[in-house]
Amino acid sequence: MPDALIGIDVGTTGVKGVAIDADGRVLATAAADYPLSRPQPGWSEQEPEDWWRATQDCLARLPEGPVGFSGQMHGLVVLGGDGIVLRPAILWNDQRTAVEAAEIEERIGLARLIELTGNRALTGFTAPKILWLRRHEPDVYARIRHVLLPKDYVRYRLTGELAIDAADASGTLLFDVRRREWSEEVCAALDIPLDWLPPAHESTEVGGAGDQAAAALGVGIARPGPVSVVLGTSGVVFAALPGYAHDAEARLHVFCHAVPNMWHAMGVMLNAAGSASWLRGVLGGEPAGLDGEAAQWGPGVEGLLFAPYLAGERTPHPDPDARGAFTGLSARHDRGALWRAMLEGVAFGLRDSLELLRGLGCEPEVGRASGGGARSELWLRIVASALQLPIELTESEEGSAFGAALLAGVREGAFADADDAVARCVRVRGRIEPEWDYDAEYERFRLLYPTLKELQ
C-alpha cells in the first residue's frame, strides 16, 4: 500500500495537485499557474511546456506516490514523429472552428454523429480543430504523427507512454462512445488517420479521466443515484448512466464515465459562478455581505428574474450568441434583490439540465455540490429548492485532482475498484433540504430565452 496517492489536474489556469492517503485524508496540496494566450479574437491557446513545468513544480512539493491525472477536456496537442510539440495547444474554449464543425455534421450526418459519439459537433471539441489545422496550417498538419489531450501530454512527458482514457476520449468527437473505442467510421469520414490516436483504456486502468468525470468520482458519483452539481465558473449537472443513452437533440453531453462499463450525461451552462463574479464586480461588496442582503428577499424576488446567458449558452440552448438580462425590475428592488435573482437564475439554468437528465431516465436521489459557488449556504438552499433535490457537501474540496488520486489508487491496487475507492474516501459533511417552491418562477424562467432571442 503506497503511503500517498497523487492527483494532478491540468486545468485552464493552472495545475492543481493533491496527495491523499488510502482513507481519503488530504496529506498535502500544491498549485502552479500559467498564462492563457488569445492571439486572435475567439482563439484560446496554451503552451504544453507550461503544463509540464507546472506539473513538475507541484510534484516537487507533494509526497512521492502513484500519480493519476485529470484535466481540461477537448484540447488539441499535436506531436511530430520525434514526440515534439508542433504548435501551441488549441483549447476547449477556442471558437475558431465553426466552419469545420458544420462540415463534420454534413459529412457524417447529424443523427449518425449523435448516435455514434453522443454529441453534435461543437467548436470546442477536438475533431474540428484537426480539420482547422488541415485547412489553415497545412505544413503543421503534414507533420502530425500523434494527437493527445492536455493531461495525456503531461503523462507522456512523465512516463513516455502514449495513452488516453475512454472518459476523455469521448470528448474528441472521434470516439464511439457506445463501444468505448475509436470510431473507424468517423475517422474515415473525416480522413483522420487512426494511428495518430493513442491507445484507449478504461480510466481505472490508466489512472486518468477528463476533469468532469474525475470531479464527479471525487464526490462519489460512481453509479446512478446521486448527481454532481458543480457551481464553478460554468455550471454542470452530471449523472452516471447504467448504459449508453443519448439525447436525440444532443442538448446533453454523453460520454464514457471514469468507471468501467458506465456512461455519464451532463448538462453544461456557461455562466454559473461566473455570473456571480460579474455581478459582484458591478455591485461591489463581498459575497457574504451580498448573500446577507439577498436573504432579506423572499423566493421569486417579487417577480425579478435573471437570464444567466452572459457569454452564450450550451445546455439546453447551444447558442454562442445568447445574452443575459434582468426582467421584472421595480423601484423596490435593491442590490440584495439583484443578487438573489442572479442566484435563482443560475439555479433555474441548472434545473434545465436536470430536466433533460430526467428525460434520459435519471431518477436522482440527491445532489453532491462542489465548486466555488458551493461555499454560499444561501445559494445551496436556492439550488436545492429549484432542483427539488437535497444537496450534500463532501469533506474534500479538491475536485478533479481528488478524483484523479482515487483513480491512481485503483490502478495501483490500493482500492479494489472505483466503488471501493468512493466507499472508503468520500464522506458527506452536510446536507441541505429543499425549502421553497420555485415551480412557478421556473416556468417563467423558461420563457426568457425564446423571448430574448426574438429581441436579438
Side-chain angles (χ1 to χ4, degrees), residues 231-269:
L231 284 167
T233 300
S234 57
V236 177
V237 184
F238 175 116
L241 303 175
Y244 177 74
H246 63 271
D247 175 52
E249 299 177 44
R251 294 166 295 180
L252 295 165
H253 300 314
V254 178
F255 298 146
C256 298
H257 195 7
V259 181
N261 300 314
M262 295 290 293
W263 289 259
H264 73 79
M266 65 180 179
V268 180
M269 60 181 297

Side-chain angles (χ1 to χ4, degrees), residues 94-173:
D94 189 285
Q95 299 295 322
R96 75 184 74 178
T97 62
V99 170
E100 289 73 24
E103 178 185 346
I104 290 172
E105 293 188 353
E106 181 178 350
R107 282 199 189 192
I108 298 170
L110 179 58
R112 182 58 176 163
L113 181 68
I114 294 171
E115 182 182 354
L116 286 169
T117 70
N119 300 276
R120 66 179 307 160
L122 300 179
T123 52
F125 281 21
T126 315
K129 298 175 174 68
I130 299 174
L131 271 60
W132 186 92
L133 283 181
R134 183 160 63 203
R135 176 172 285 125
H136 295 279
E137 297 182 6
D139 292 345
V140 171
Y141 184 86
R143 296 161 57 201
I144 295 173
R145 294 299 178 269
H146 304 288
V147 169
L148 294 175
L149 297 187
K151 73 171 191 341
D152 302 313
Y153 174 73
V154 174
R155 180 197 291 110
Y156 169 68
R157 290 294 300 271
L158 185 66
T159 69
E161 179 185 16
L162 293 167
I164 195 170
D165 55 275
D168 217 358
S170 298
T172 64
L173 215 65

Side-chain angles (χ1 to χ4, degrees), residues 100-414:
E100 289 73 24
E103 178 185 346
I104 290 172
E105 293 188 353
E106 181 178 350
R107 282 199 189 192
I108 298 170
L110 179 58
R112 182 58 176 163
L113 181 68
I114 294 171
E115 182 182 354
L116 286 169
T117 70
N119 300 276
R120 66 179 307 160
L122 300 179
T123 52
F125 281 21
T126 315
K129 298 175 174 68
I130 299 174
L131 271 60
W132 186 92
L133 283 181
R134 183 160 63 203
R135 176 172 285 125
H136 295 279
E137 297 182 6
D139 292 345
V140 171
Y141 184 86
R143 296 161 57 201
I144 295 173
R145 294 299 178 269
H146 304 288
V147 169
L148 294 175
L149 297 187
K151 73 171 191 341
D152 302 313
Y153 174 73
V154 174
R155 180 197 291 110
Y156 169 68
R157 290 294 300 271
L158 185 66
T159 69
E161 179 185 16
L162 293 167
I164 195 170
D165 55 275
D168 217 358
S170 298
T172 64
L173 215 65
L174 300 172
F175 202 67
D176 188 324
V177 176
R178 184 194 303 272
R179 293 181 174 82
R180 306 173 85 90
E181 61 187 25
W182 295 114
S183 173
E184 294 185 11
E185 180 177 341
V186 172
C187 289
L190 303 182
D191 298 317
I192 294 174
L194 272 170
D195 59 10
W196 286 3
L197 306 174
H201 307 270
E202 292 295 340
S203 292
T204 50
E205 295 171 347
V206 75
D211 53 2
Q212 290 301 327
L217 190 67
V219 295
I221 314 299
R223 302 285 171 181
V227 293
S228 170
V229 179
V230 181
L231 284 167
T233 300
S234 57
V236 177
V237 184
F238 175 116
L241 303 175
Y244 177 74
H246 63 271
D247 175 52
E249 299 177 44
R251 294 166 295 180
L252 295 165
H253 300 314
V254 178
F255 298 146
C256 298
H257 195 7
V259 181
N261 300 314
M262 295 290 293
W263 289 259
H264 73 79
M266 65 180 179
V268 180
M269 60 181 297
L270 297 183
N271 288 277
S275 294
S277 297
W278 165 76
L279 188 57
R280 179 188 170 195
V282 172
L283 299 177
E286 295 299 317
L290 292 166
D291 277 3
E293 294 177 39
Q296 303 304 310
W297 289 86
V301 204
E302 296 183 3
L304 182 59
L305 282 173
F306 173 67
Y309 313 126
L310 300 179
E313 191 51 296
R314 184 174 291 184
T315 304
H317 312 297
D319 181 359
D321 298 318
R323 291 296 178 264
F326 281 101
T327 65
L329 280 164
S330 78
R332 281 177 46 80
H333 289 128
D334 58 12
R335 188 168 75 161
L338 293 172
W339 189 255
R340 177 155 190 148
M342 179 275 299
L343 299 179
E344 291 180 348
V346 171
F348 296 149
L350 293 171
R351 181 165 169 179
D352 278 342
S353 291
L354 182 60
E355 293 299 328
L356 291 175
L357 290 170
R358 285 174 170 146
L360 284 185
C362 298
E363 298 179 0
E365 305 159 355
V366 68
R368 297 273 176 85
S370 62
R375 299 188 183 100
S376 166
E377 181 183 353
L378 176 61
W379 208 352
L380 292 178
R381 291 164 63 196
I382 290 171
V383 169
S385 299
L387 300 186
Q388 302 172 336
L389 277 180
I391 296 293
E392 294 178 340
L393 294 167
T394 57
E395 286 185 357
S396 172
E397 296 182 351
E398 302 306 323
S400 300
F402 189 85
L406 297 185
L407 289 170
V410 177
R411 185 193 63 209
E412 295 300 312

Side-chain angles (χ1 to χ4, degrees), residues 417-429:
D417 52 26
D419 296 297
D420 182 41
V422 165
R424 291 172 58 181
C425 297
V426 179
R427 289 176 285 275
V428 173
R429 63 177 173 86

